[in-house]
Every structure is written in C-alpha cells, then in structure tokens.
Amino acid sequence: MVIFGFGFFLAFLKRYEFSSTGFNLLIVVLGVQCSMLIDLIFHLPYKNVLDRVAEATVSVTAVVISAGTVLGKTNPVQLILMTVVEMIVFRTSRWINSTFLQVPGKISVMHAPLFGAYFGLAISSRFSEPSPRSEKNASTPKSDLLSMLGTLFLWVFWPSFNSILVANHNERAICNTYFTLAASTVTAFALSALTTKDGRFRMTHIRSAALAGGVAVAYTAQSIKYPWIAMILGQLASVITVLGSYCLQRCLNPAFKIHDASGVHFTFGLPSVLGAFVQEVLFIVNNGTNSPRLVYAVVVHIAAFCLTISVALIVGFITGSILSLKLFKTIPVSKYFDDQFYWEFPHLAVGF
Amino acid sequence: MPSALDTNMRFKFSILALLLEVIIIVIFGIFVEYELHADIQTLYPLFQDVHVMIFIGFGFLMTFLKKYGFSSVGINMLIAALGLQWGTLMQGFWHMEGGKIHVSIKSMINADFSTATALISFGAVLGKTSPVQMLILTVLEITIFACNEHLVTRVFEATDVGGSMTIHAFGAYFGLAVTLVLHRPGLKNKHQNEESTYHTDIFAMIGTLFLWLFWPSFNSAIVPETPSMITAIINTYFSLAACTVVTFALSSLVDQRGKFNMVLIQNATLAGGVAMGTCADLPIHCFAAMCIGSIAGIISVLGFCFLTPLLASKLNIHDTCGVHNLHGLPGVLGGITGIVVTAIRTDTGPGSRFTPSMQAAALGSTIGIALAGGVLTGGILKLPFLGHTSDQNCFDDSVYWEVRHNLPLFSLGWKMYSTLQSCSLEVFVVCTQVSAFKNVAVPQAVNVSKPPSGSFLDMLASHAIYIRLTLNKKQKQTKQIETSVEVSASSSPF
C-alpha cells in the first residue's frame, strides 16, 4: 500500500512541468488531509489508518483529474478552493450513494475518475478559452517525454490502484487490470497510426489511450472471470478514447465552450462511462436467473452512476462560476500556461 | 522532412497490430483462465518492481539518442505490452494443465521477463527499424525465447533465476544477429542524429537508476524459496555496488583526460546485475558476488571502448545501445560463473541439483538458438514491405511520430543559411550571436508567441518566431526575411 502511494504520487508529480508538478503535490497533500478530516468529522466506518489513507488517496484522484482540465488556467488560490469543495462534494455524493442506494463504499470510491472528469469539465466551461494561436499551449519533445514518464508510472501502478481497496479478490483485480492495460496499449498504437494523416503516432493518443484501459476496468476489475473479457474491454476503452479525442476536440468542445487542457474527458471521463456500462452488462450476464432482484440491482447501479455525474456537473458548474469571480484574481487569457507567473526562476532564460 | 512514401504505415501497422491483438484475445479466450493463490503478499511487490524496470527502466535507458526519445519510450511500451500477452501464451503452452493455461502473479512476472528479451534486442536495432518490424520481431523472438527457456530449465534443468543466459545473453545475441542481417552500409560513417545531448543523457540516467534500484527484485523474483530469495537479493545488491565503483574507476581510466563517460555510467553500472543472474540464489559468499560484479564492470567498460567499434567496423554489426556490452558479455559471464560455482560447490544447498555440464549446455544452446533465431528473424524483417526507412531517416522520431519541431535558435540560423542562400548573411550573423549564448539555455524560447516585455532573450525569441513563420511560407518571402532581420539587428543590444 505504501508502494502504491509513492507510485501514484510520483506519477502525477512528473506529469507536467513546473506548475503542474508543484500544484499537483499541493493538491494531493491537501486533498488527502481534507478527506481524512471529513472522515473523522462524520465518524465514518472504522478502519485502520492506512486503509483510510489509501481510500483518501484514491478519492484525491478526482481532484487531480479535474485539475487536469483547468491546467494552466487557475491560480493556486482557486486550486485550493477547488480541492476543498470537490473533496467535500465527492464525499457527500459517496455518502448519498452508500446510504440511500446501498452501494458498497468500495465501488463508490471507484467513481472518482468519473466524478473528477465531469467536475473538471463543468468548471472549465466557466473559464474563458485560450486563444488558439497561443504557442504556450503546446508541448515540446522534452515535456512530452516527461509526461510519458508520468504516464508510465501510472501505467505500471494502475493494477495496484484498482486492487488496493478490494480485499478478497485482490489478485484477480491485478491480473484483469494488467491484461486490460496491455490490450489497450497495443490498440492505442494501432488506432493512433490509423487516425492521423500520414500514419504516424501521436503522443497524446498513446498517453491517454494507454491509461484508458485502466480506468475502464476499475469498476469490474474484481468481477471479471476470464482475461479475454478484460482484454476486449481494454480494446474498447482504447477505441473510445482515440475516437473521442478525434471527434470531441472538433465537435463537442466548441459547442459547449469547454477547453479541456489535458484531454481529461476522453482519458478518464468516457472510459469510466464505458466501465460502468460494462459493469451492468456483466452483472446481467452473470446473474441471469433471478430477475426481480436483478432489475433492482441494475437500477441502483445506474442511479448511483447518474447521481455521481449529475452532482459532479452541477457542483462543478457552480464552483466554476464562483472561481471565475473577480475576487480570486483570475488569470488573464494571455497569461495562461505560463509558469513565470507563479514561480521564481533562477534566471529568466528558462526554456519551456 | 522525411518522405511519407516509404514510411507511411497507416494501414500496414494498424491492421497488423489489431490483427495480432484479436488473435491473442481469441487464444486467451480459448486457453487462459485464472488460477488465484494467496501468495500475493510476497510476489506482488516483486512483480511491481519488475514491471517498473521493464516499462520505465528499459524505456528510458534508450532515450539517449537526441531525436529518438519518443520512439525509445513509446515503442518500448508497445513491445512490452504486446510481448507480455504473447509471452503469457507462449510460456503457458509449455506448462499447460488440462488444456488450460493458468495465469497468476507468477506467470505475470514470467511474461514480463520474456518481454525483456525483446526489449534488449530492440536496443541493438534501435533507430534502424520500423514499428511494423518491431511487432514481428517481438512475436518471433518471444516464441523462440519460450522454447529456449523450456529447453534450459526443463530439459537441461540448469539454474538461471535472474536470466543471465536465457534473458540477457539471449536477447543481446538475438539482437546482434538481427542487426547483422539488417546491416546498412550507409550508416558506416556515423549518422548525424546518432548522438546524445545533455538532456537526453539525463533522461537515460533516469532509466539507469530505475533499473539499478530494482535489479535485486529482478534477480530474485522467481526464486522459489524464501531463504534463497534473500540470498539472491543480497548478492545482486553487492554485485551492483561493486560494479558501479569499478565502472567509475575504469571510465576515468580509459578516457584520455580522465573524465567520466556518461554512456559507460549509464550502461556498465548495470552489468553487475546481469552477471549475477545465474548464480544469484546459489550459496556463494558476498565477496564472490562483488568479484563477479567487478569483473562484469570491467568487461563491460572494455567492451564499450574496444569491442563495439571493432564489431561495427569489422563484422558489420552496428549495436546502437551497446547491448552486447551491457547484456551480452555480462550474460555470458553469468553463465560461466554458473558453471564454475556448480563445479566448486557440489555438496551444499540447492546448488547440488545442478551440474556444470548442464550449465554449459544451457549456455551453449542459448547462444546458438539466439544467433540462429536472430538471423532467421532478420531475414524475415528484411522483406521489403515492412516499412523500412531510408538510411538518412534513421534515428529520427518524426518519421513515425508527430513531433512539434521547435528548432533551437542556433540551429535555426544554420537552417536558414542552408535553405536560402541568397539573403542569409544577416540572418546568419544574428543567429551566430545567439549561438554564443547557447549555454544560457535558450533552446526552446521559440515558444514565446507575442512581442515580449523587456528581457532581451525573449525579444530574440520573438524575432526568431517571426523569421520562422516567414520561412514556413517558403521562397517568395525573401524580402520579408530581410526586413525582419533588419528589425532584429536594429533593436538588438549587440
């Protein structure tokens, strides 16, 4: 579990550049403490501390993911506020899920990527778009390599991520995630070559699609019985992600004025929708006999799912509106994606 | 820019990759099922370490080429992801029970091991193959590897826990044979992209450190009993430490001015781990482990300095990453120490099961099969429709990846000089002045898009952008370029 914590940490630490890494550290630390605090205040189920930290860290992914959507567009004050609000809301949404809908707590934590992605999208719709000509909103080969390092860390430790909260089917969750990730990576390369103009790979595709498998399998990691199901799921996730990045950037984002700085929607949002869907399908296939209870269970799952998304969207929208008030000194559009705004450089001649 | 004709792999690659994936899934559907134990507490951390080594360690170790970082890490990930699925199947076929392959954490570790061979071979051919070729190489090599491993561990019953022979020596000699068959006479003189820069060396060092850290896990991951597992960890640990010290010493010794050579530090420091692979779990003393590590370091450094140039010039084997010195020679050393140790200590411990003759047979068969398999695979890869690049496009990411070209300022000047002969004089002057500042780490200041506020480096960068934009529009703007140069010349503080 400690290994998990470190691996996960490093992953997001190295993910982007100066601000991204620095603020990510800030968010994660703050988020974990915040989540622990909420747990303590509400005297939620008694577990040992390490379990609780693990759970808190998993929920912090939600915040980190939403931070990904507004990357480069917020100042630290806004981020801190966002962290606190999001942790509270996510905890509440989980609480609603577990009290009214009787969803086991472990499943509801797995809603984290879903929640984070849509929360972040809703927030980012409240921020103005960067000018399309801006060259800062681009990557260099060096920063791409660094973010690949982050991706690889995530990739390598994703089996732990999916299995950490599952006590009894631990090994199965690990194996499933492992095969899903492998399948989704191979598919990602194939599709990336297929969708770009002259058959080259695009780094963004590889990064997001390779992870998509892990996200998608999160719900079902413990229940899939054969590896081939997991692998097909991985392929599907990868397909959705690459197609998503292909279509969404063109059609959806301009329509809703969303600017998704690091492709969170198709990396985490869509695959987790897929994952939830597949969970239902598998659930129905596995328990095909006793129908009344089955229908009830499926309805509960879907309700929990919808609830999470809608809470995320609504609260995200509100938070976004609050955050973009003048009070917080929102960054002007021209200063987006600029490290120099917040960080001291040893000398000005820093390349980025 | 590289021509799109011979390297466009839009359909070739994607269809082949999807096809392989579908085939694998179908085979998985037929044969594979889970077999779940409770051994997760001990094995899973080890698995994770090996996993990190394969994906991050090997991937970043190969990023040292200045324009080939994407491919090194990306294709490494592709090979490993495909290889682990294929490896699960191939190794599983040798251990089938009741017509089913049983998958557990242990088989996942083994699958990761099998991908390591393909990655090592990738190091030997790095920069000279296309992704399509790598897919085929991965599938073939892992198939052959699984057969050889079965031969070594089941038929000969030799010991090779850390895979000195079966993984490292096999992968290295396989890769060397492939690169011999794929020999490019055009690359006899050093290719201009086949060198490292300061930053790429640091990236490569990330890989080295991860490999170094987790090597004890690699050597001990499949040791069955706990006491020998601890022996394996300790032996590898000391061997690596000794090897590192020796490498630093020798690196300074072989350089004429006594400076360290980053290539040696990146690679030869790991040789100790490779050489420990065979006898890691045998009852040897710490000092023996340290001796093995030191010898491995010595032969690795000497290999880099003397053998690699010799191989390249005399035998037409062009070994990009020097895998022969990192994996090949130390792997053979590991095999030999295995023979020696089993010959000396026939009495005690788990070593008593193994005989020197069988160890020797294992070593011989591994190298033989690797060379033969490599030549065969190389022959298949030579088929013309696999997206071979031209010699000129080797070691270049932009052939297979979408790369944003942010030209460093100083090379910008060079570019313009070579493309627009007529009007280039002023441009070149400005840029040479900038290039005097290249220690000041401006390289990618081209990113700044608007006229900046003050600092003079920013200002230079904005001019550079202007120049670059006009350059993109090609020939007719000769005049515009001249004007922009005038602007920069008049406002520059030089």
Side-chain angles (χ1 to χ4, degrees):
Chain A
M1 287 184 185
V2 180
I3 291 174
F4 154 74
F6 273 108
F8 177 70
F9 233 42
L10 276 174
F12 274 113
L13 272 182
K14 278 287 177 192
R15 191 78 191 262
Y16 304 101
E17 289 164 53
F18 242 69
S19 303
S20 355
T21 51
F23 293 153
N24 256 316
L25 181 59
L26 177 72
I27 292 176
V28 172
V29 175
L30 190 73
V32 170
Q33 293 176 23
C34 187
S35 165
M36 299 285 283
L37 199 66
I38 298 170
D39 265 6
L40 284 183
I41 290 173
F42 289 109
H43 297 292
L44 285 166
Y46 305 97
K47 305 166 202 162
N48 65 25
V49 180
L50 215 55
D51 268 355
R52 215 180 267 166
V53 171
E55 201 179 305
T57 318
V58 175
S59 11
V60 165
T61 42
V63 184
V64 178
I65 288 170
S66 5
T69 55
V70 290
L71 189 74
K73 289 182 278 186
T74 44
N75 60 26
V77 182
Q78 287 170 323
L79 276 181
I80 290 174
L81 194 74
M82 190 185 95
T83 311
V84 175
V85 171
E86 186 164 355
M87 281 325 295
I88 295 174
V89 175
F90 183 57
R91 201 69 192 75
T92 323
S93 120
R94 281 182 54 201
W95 177 76
I96 297 175
N97 274 346
S98 54
T99 348
F100 293 118
L101 298 171
Q102 308 290 328
V103 178
K106 314 215 148 148
I107 303 263
S108 68
V109 181
M110 286 302 170
H111 281 302
L114 185 75
F115 186 87
Y118 286 99
F119 191 88
L121 283 178
I123 287 190
S124 76
S125 69
R126 300 301 304 159
F127 281 89
S128 50
E129 281 182 85
S131 62
R133 277 184 62 254
S134 170
E135 286 214 9
K136 285 179 211 162
N137 186 12
S139 53
T140 62
K142 215 197 305 168
S143 72
D144 260 343
L145 265 188
L146 268 183
S147 96
M148 196 63 190
L149 179 64
T151 312
L152 281 177
F153 262 107
L154 279 184
W155 204 95
V156 166
F157 288 107
W158 212 283
S160 326
F161 183 82
N162 277 351
S163 64
I164 184 147
L165 297 175
V166 187
N168 42 355
H169 294 300
N170 223 335
E171 193 173 357
R172 173 164 293 166
I174 291 169
C175 291
N176 274 323
T177 315
Y178 175 77
F179 286 119
T180 312
L181 282 170
S184 82
T185 307
V186 177
T187 319
F189 273 92
L191 287 178
S192 180
L194 196 64
T195 48
T196 48
K197 224 178 25 256
D198 42 5
R200 300 191 192 158
F201 303 129
R202 184 178 294 173
M203 212 50 167
T204 337
H205 286 166
I206 309 294
R207 279 209 301 268
S208 38
L211 295 182
V215 180
V217 85
Y219 292 101
T220 43
Q222 25 170 339
S223 55
I224 291 181
K225 288 208 181 64
Y226 295 100
W228 60 274
I229 302 180
M231 289 162 81
I232 288 180
L233 180 59
Q235 277 204 310
L236 281 181
S238 180
V239 170
I240 281 200
T241 306
V242 176
L243 290 186
S245 79
Y246 197 67
C247 310
L248 281 183
Q249 300 288 47
R250 300 229 175 107
C251 336
L252 200 66
N253 288 358
F256 293 96
K257 289 217 173 13
I258 297 173
H259 178 263
D260 185 355
S262 50
V264 162
H265 191 194
F266 48 83
T267 311
F268 298 102
L270 291 181
S272 50
V273 173
L274 172 78
F277 177 70
V278 169
Q279 185 193 18
E280 299 315 315
V281 173
L282 285 181
F283 194 73
I284 293 172
V285 171
N286 286 346
N287 318 328
T289 45
N290 43 353
S291 48
R293 281 201 55 209
L294 176 75
V295 171
Y296 176 71
V298 170
V299 167
V300 162
H301 277 265
I302 293 177
F305 172 76
C306 294
L307 184 88
T308 312
I309 284 196
S310 49
V311 168
L313 281 177
I314 295 169
V315 181
F317 199 73
I318 298 171
T319 319
S321 313
I322 298 173
L323 288 186
S324 54
L325 290 178
K326 282 263 164 28
L327 186 65
F328 295 104
K329 297 201 175 124
T330 316
I331 317 172
V333 176
S334 60
K335 295 284 182 193
Y336 277 3
F337 309 110
D338 205 343
D339 266 350
Q340 292 191 18
F341 213 53
Y342 301 113
W343 297 85
E344 258 183 25
F345 285 112
H347 47 79
L348 261 178
V350 168
F352 57 110
Chain B
M1 286 299 285
S3 75
L5 261 181
D6 61 334
T7 55
N8 190 337
M9 43 166 198
R10 184 168 185 179
F11 294 107
K12 263 183 265 175
F13 175 80
S14 46
I15 289 174
L16 181 66
L18 286 179
L19 193 70
L20 279 175
E21 186 62 45
V22 169
I23 292 175
I24 288 176
I25 290 184
V26 170
I27 302 179
F28 259 73
I30 300 173
F31 289 111
V32 179
E33 57 187 30
Y34 288 135
E35 180 190 72
L36 303 170
H37 300 298
D39 55 358
I40 179 159
Q41 294 304 332
T42 52
L43 276 183
Y44 185 60
L46 289 173
F47 160 71
Q48 220 164 29
D49 293 350
V50 174
H51 216 44
V52 170
M53 278 179 74
I54 298 287
F55 281 89
I56 297 168
F58 279 111
F60 275 87
L61 183 63
M62 291 188 280
T63 51
F64 66 95
L65 290 172
K66 67 177 179 184
K67 285 194 174 169
Y68 211 63
F70 278 21
S71 300
S72 307
V73 179
I75 306 291
N76 177 76
M77 188 177 180
L78 171 69
I79 295 176
L82 179 73
L84 65 89
Q85 302 170 31
W86 192 249
T88 310
L89 286 178
M90 285 300 124
Q91 293 182 327
F93 279 132
W94 292 109
H95 309 284
M96 285 221 278
E97 289 164 24
K100 291 282 181 192
I101 298 169
H102 296 280
V103 178
S104 60
I105 300 265
K106 185 142 186 150
S107 72
M108 281 158 65
I109 294 179
N110 276 320
D112 268 13
F113 276 179
S114 70
T115 63
T117 57
L119 296 179
I120 291 167
S121 305
F122 179 50
V125 295
L126 188 71
K128 294 173 287 183
T129 49
S130 71
V132 184
Q133 287 174 316
M134 288 321 296
L135 285 183
I136 297 173
L137 185 142
T138 310
V139 170
L140 289 177
E141 176 163 8
I142 289 178
T143 313
I144 300 172
F145 161 78
C147 300
N148 178 54
E149 196 203 24
H150 181 76
L151 186 71
V152 167
T153 53
R154 293 296 159 100
V155 178
F156 293 145
E157 295 191 333
T159 174
D160 199 10
V161 281
S164 282
M165 296 182 281
T166 53
I167 297 171
H168 296 286
F170 181 87
Y173 285 104
F174 192 95
L176 290 180
V178 171
T179 191
L180 171 67
V181 176
L182 294 180
H183 175 62
R184 292 164 179 267
L187 293 181
K188 203 87 177 178
N189 302 320
K190 210 165 164 57
H191 191 281
Q192 61 165 359
N193 284 338
E194 198 198 345
E195 56 186 22
S196 59
T197 62
Y198 190 74
H199 291 290
T200 54
D201 267 339
I202 289 181
F203 270 120
M205 204 60 200
I206 296 178
T208 305
L209 284 178
F210 272 110
L211 286 176
W212 204 94
L213 284 177
F214 290 125
W215 213 291
S217 308
F218 191 89
N219 277 353
S220 63
I222 54 170
V223 178
E225 307 103 8
T226 315
S228 8
M229 189 184 270
I230 293 167
T231 321
I233 292 174
I234 294 173
N235 280 335
T236 315
Y237 178 75
F238 284 119
S239 168
L240 278 169
C243 178
T244 307
V245 176
V246 169
T247 304
F248 270 91
L250 274 187
S251 173
S252 172
L253 189 68
V254 294
D255 188 82
Q256 280 177 347
R257 285 173 299 169
K259 295 187 180 178
F260 299 128
N261 181 352
M262 202 58 180
V263 178
L264 294 179
I265 307 299
Q266 280 158 6
N267 291 293
T269 45
L270 300 171
V274 178
M276 260 336 275
T278 302
C279 45
D281 65 331
L282 302 180
I284 55 175
H285 291 291
C286 286
F287 79 90
M290 288 158 92
C291 288
I292 295 172
S294 312
I295 298 171
I298 293 171
I299 62 170
S300 183
V301 170
L302 295 182
F304 268 105
C305 292
F306 304 112
L307 198 56
T308 302
L310 195 72
L311 283 181
S313 58
K314 293 282 161 22
L315 293 178
N316 293 337
I317 297 175
H318 179 270
D319 181 3
T320 315
C321 282
V323 293
H324 186 230
N325 313 307
L326 170 53
H327 301 282
L329 291 177
V332 173
L333 174 71
I336 295 172
T337 52
I339 300 173
V340 174
V341 171
T342 44
I344 296 173
R345 313 213 35 150
T346 45
D347 47 343
T348 53
S352 54
R353 279 182 283 134
F354 312 114
T355 60
S357 58
M358 282 304 157
Q359 292 287 343
L363 182 61
S365 81
T366 302
I367 293 176
I369 291 177
L371 287 175
V375 170
L376 184 73
T377 312
I380 294 173
L381 294 189
K382 226 175 177 178
L383 295 177
F385 52 84
L386 294 178
H388 231 37
T389 49
S390 64
D391 287 348
Q392 191 191 351
N393 285 337
C394 284
F395 309 109
D396 195 346
D397 265 344
S398 61
V399 184
Y400 303 113
W401 293 83
E402 290 188 333
V403 183
R404 259 171 223 277
H405 284 285
N406 284 341
L407 298 173
L409 280 180
F410 38 91
S411 77
L412 191 75
W414 173 79
K415 265 249 147 92
M416 268 177 280
Y417 192 60
S418 60
T419 46
L420 303 169
Q421 291 284 334
S422 59
C423 66
S424 58
L425 189 60
E426 282 98 335
V427 181
F428 189 66
V429 169
V430 168
C431 292
T432 40
Q433 280 177 339
V434 174
S435 77
F437 280 83
K438 66 182 167 184
N439 309 344
V440 200
V442 246
Q444 270 124 26
V446 200
N447 265 344
V448 184
S449 63
K450 304 172 92 184
S453 56
S455 102
F456 107 92
L457 286 171
D458 279 6
M459 188 189 60
L460 279 182
S462 71
H463 291 312
I465 279 182
Y466 184 44
I467 297 170
R468 192 176 66 155
L469 287 179
T470 45
L471 243 187
N472 285 345
K473 289 180 193 159
K474 273 275 162 79
Q475 296 301 331
K476 61 175 183 180
Q477 275 92 354
T478 29
K479 204 171 175 194
Q480 223 174 341
I481 289 181
E482 276 169 1
T483 53
S484 81
V485 168
E486 274 166 21
V487 171
S488 70
S490 64
S491 59
S492 82
F494 294 122

